[in-house]
Amino acid sequence: MEVGEKIDHYTITEILSGGMSDVYRVFDGKDRYVLKCLKEDATEEVKKLFRREIRILKKLRHPNIIEIVFDTYDSERPYYVMPNCGKSFVEIANSQISEVELLGYVIQFCKAIFYAHEKGVYHRDIKPQNVLLYKGIVKVSDFGLSRFVSRDTTTITRTNLKAGTQGYMPPEYNNGAFKAGNVEGDVYMIGKTLYYMFSHGRDVSNVRSETVPVQLYSIIDKCTKDEPSQRYSSVGTIVDELESYRDLLLTAENAPKSIKEIKKSYSANTPQYNKEVYKTLITLGNNPNDWGYALGQLRTSELIQILTYNKDTIIALSLYFIDCLSNPSDYIQFSDIDEYAKFTKALVDVNTDESIKQNLITFMIDMSISYCRYPAMKVVANILNEQIEKDYTRYKVFVMLHSHQLNSICMNLGGDSIFNNQIKALLKA
């Protein structure tokens, strides 16, 4: 068959490589598919294998196993049509994706094989080329060498039929065990496939521990033991261990980073930078030194950008900040108070909730006076100057309620007092 010719109403658009079958990419006038057709000169045994593959695929209904769209099972030269998948695991292994994303793909793949085993089917030819991606979803394919556990006879596959793929097939298949096939045989090939994926395409005949993450090597090593009884007895256990490792990575990935790490990893004022800094701030806890150190690495302009980006949750952060430093787990350093004052001003500038603003200002008035920290007092004065100019009526009341403390700030600062004339007038009243 050539490009442009038809198989029934399917037009061939591309000739793909095949083993015991002819494989084509086809178009039916609406969608593109892949059509797998029995070779014209196929033997009776190969015909049986091909029809068995159709029966197996029609039995296995799982989101991660390739599905048959149409088939001509009973015809003299049967074929079946399946979705037109894009990449295989070969391309994925050599692409630039994160370890977590890669784990997501291999977990889908292992779940498919586990399901097949539960349905009484052994694949017997597991390798990266037979694991495809369709719209981001893993699809295990090519069940041409698969067998039903309970219904197949061992005579359907000749001893001299090619037994799987070299490098992936377990050692016992070289000694005639391929015809029977079992869980442990598929597990071995899963291990080799996992190694290929996480070593980013290295030679699977030479599995080296240093080329994959330690936690994954322990799984791969158990899968690929020469003695079948030493391998996993269920693919379900492999799935569980892969999912546990992914959860561990996600926990580490979502853990707050230090400001120094964030600055090293992300450009300032990008969404990821703003998210990561906010996540760190909201988890600093009651240690005042941690707050001082973190805030000391952020300029006022950066704080404004971060808070503006996360303004929907700024009330929660404001209350958390006040609560943590009102109940410190350690001594507060004088120099850190200046950082708290800087942060308080940024919170007030971005906040739209007046009660939260006034809580923040009250908190900083109390702290600056308690620790007699002049720079912090000056920041309080600046905050109040700005707020009373924006809303004189509201902040006239606030100044009057806190007149004793604000007069104390005036006395401490003396000639350096920078309260504006409106506040000075109210304090003299």
Side-chain angles (χ1 to χ4, degrees), residues 49-64:
L49 285 171
F50 190 84
R51 288 195 171 98
R52 181 172 68 182
E53 182 179 10
I54 294 175
R55 294 200 309 274
I56 286 173
L57 285 174
K58 292 176 81 169
K59 174 180 177 172
L60 299 178
R61 298 291 182 182
H62 188 274
N64 299 124

Side-chain angles (χ1 to χ4, degrees), residues 16 51 55 76 102 107 115 261 327-328 370 401 416 427:
L16 305 174
R51 288 195 171 98
R55 294 200 309 274
E76 179 61 26
L102 199 49
I107 288 169
Y115 169 83
E261 288 178 299
N327 303 281
S370 295
L401 288 172
D416 291 331
L427 293 177

Side-chain angles (χ1 to χ4, degrees), residues 340-376:
Y340 309 155
K342 177 181 74 178
F343 188 48
T344 298
K345 187 175 189 314
L347 286 168
V348 170
D349 287 347
V350 178
N351 243 303
T352 56
D353 187 296
E354 287 299 334
S355 65
I356 296 297
K357 282 186 181 183
Q358 294 190 11
N359 282 342
L360 286 161
I361 298 168
T362 301
F363 164 74
M364 190 44 59
I365 289 172
D366 291 341
M367 179 170 280
S368 65
I369 293 172
S370 295
Y371 289 87
C372 199
R373 189 67 183 172
Y374 292 178

Side-chain angles (χ1 to χ4, degrees), residues 16-24 36-53 77-80 123-125 127 130 142-146 156-158 160-164 178:
L16 305 174
S17 60
M20 295 183 292
S21 311
D22 292 326
V23 185
Y24 308 101
K36 189 172 181 179
C37 182
L38 186 68
K39 285 186 180 291
E40 202 164 9
D41 59 352
T43 64
E44 284 302 311
E45 183 176 16
V46 171
K47 286 182 182 178
K48 289 180 181 179
L49 285 171
F50 190 84
R51 288 195 171 98
R52 181 172 68 182
E53 182 179 10
R77 191 184 173 194
Y79 68 83
Y80 69 84
H123 192 287
R124 298 197 297 183
D125 193 22
K127 56 185 177 182
N130 288 341
D142 205 340
F143 282 74
L145 296 180
S146 301
I156 196 168
T157 305
R158 299 193 312 267
N160 63 352
L161 186 66
K162 185 180 179 182
F178 173 77

Side-chain angles (χ1 to χ4, degrees), residues 255-319:
K257 302 176 178 67
S258 69
I259 301 298
K260 185 177 181 180
E261 288 178 299
I262 296 168
K263 283 179 172 288
K264 186 177 179 180
S265 303
Y266 308 104
S267 298
N269 200 29
T270 58
Q272 194 62 38
Y273 178 86
N274 293 333
K275 287 178 187 176
E276 291 295 332
V277 173
Y278 183 87
K279 185 165 66 178
T280 295
L281 294 176
I282 201 70
T283 56
L284 282 173
N286 291 67
N287 190 318
N289 300 319
D290 291 345
W291 279 98
Y293 183 70
L295 294 171
Q297 297 175 75
L298 298 165
R299 299 187 304 275
T300 300
S301 58
E302 288 180 285
L303 287 171
I304 294 294
Q305 290 164 356
I306 292 157
L307 296 174
T308 301
Y309 184 83
N310 296 281
K311 61 184 177 181
D312 291 343
T313 54
I314 195 172
I315 291 176
L317 177 59
S318 301
L319 294 173

Side-chain angles (χ1 to χ4, degrees), residues 160-177:
N160 63 352
L161 186 66
K162 185 180 179 182
T165 302
Q166 290 296 326
Y168 289 89
M169 88 182 164
E172 64 269 20
Y173 280 14
N174 290 319
N175 301 317

Side-chain angles (χ1 to χ4, degrees), residues 120-135:
V121 173
Y122 299 138
H123 192 287
R124 298 197 297 183
D125 193 22
I126 298 169
K127 56 185 177 182
Q129 291 87 342
N130 288 341
V131 188
L132 311 175
L133 246 64
Y134 179 68
K135 297 181 178 179

Side-chain angles (χ1 to χ4, degrees), residues 108-285:
Q108 290 182 56
F109 150 64
C110 289
K111 283 182 175 180
I113 301 299
F114 179 58
Y115 169 83
H117 289 178
E118 292 286 290
K119 292 296 181 180
V121 173
Y122 299 138
H123 192 287
R124 298 197 297 183
D125 193 22
I126 298 169
K127 56 185 177 182
Q129 291 87 342
N130 288 341
V131 188
L132 311 175
L133 246 64
Y134 179 68
K135 297 181 178 179
I137 300 170
V138 169
K139 298 286 184 180
V140 177
S141 69
D142 205 340
F143 282 74
L145 296 180
S146 301
R147 67 177 290 267
F148 287 110
V149 177
S150 57
R151 301 212 313 261
D152 282 353
T153 65
T154 55
T155 57
I156 196 168
T157 305
R158 299 193 312 267
T159 303
N160 63 352
L161 186 66
K162 185 180 179 182
T165 302
Q166 290 296 326
Y168 289 89
M169 88 182 164
E172 64 269 20
Y173 280 14
N174 290 319
N175 301 317
F178 173 77
K179 289 197 295 181
N182 55 23
V183 170
E184 289 77 15
D186 276 1
V187 163
Y188 185 94
M189 291 181 278
I190 287 172
K192 288 301 186 88
T193 301
L194 292 178
Y195 180 75
Y196 183 88
M197 298 302 290
F198 288 98
S199 68
H200 302 291
R202 286 181 179 268
D203 179 9
V204 299
S205 64
N206 182 23
V207 175
R208 296 165 55 192
S209 61
E210 69 272 17
T211 59
V212 294
V214 174
Q215 295 89 336
L216 289 171
Y217 179 72
S218 66
I219 297 173
I220 293 166
D221 183 54
K222 187 168 182 178
C223 285
T224 56
K225 295 291 187 188
D226 285 344
E227 176 54 51
S229 63
Q230 294 178 359
R231 300 172 199 155
Y232 292 98
S233 59
S234 169
V235 180
T237 308
I238 301 174
V239 171
D240 291 342
E241 292 189 14
L242 289 171
E243 288 183 328
S244 294
Y245 179 53
R246 182 178 61 178
D247 291 345
L248 182 68
L249 288 182
L250 286 171
T251 300
E253 191 176 279
N254 293 325
K257 302 176 178 67
S258 69
I259 301 298
K260 185 177 181 180
E261 288 178 299
I262 296 168
K263 283 179 172 288
K264 186 177 179 180
S265 303
Y266 308 104
S267 298
N269 200 29
T270 58
Q272 194 62 38
Y273 178 86
N274 293 333
K275 287 178 187 176
E276 291 295 332
V277 173
Y278 183 87
K279 185 165 66 178
T280 295
L281 294 176
I282 201 70
T283 56
L284 282 173

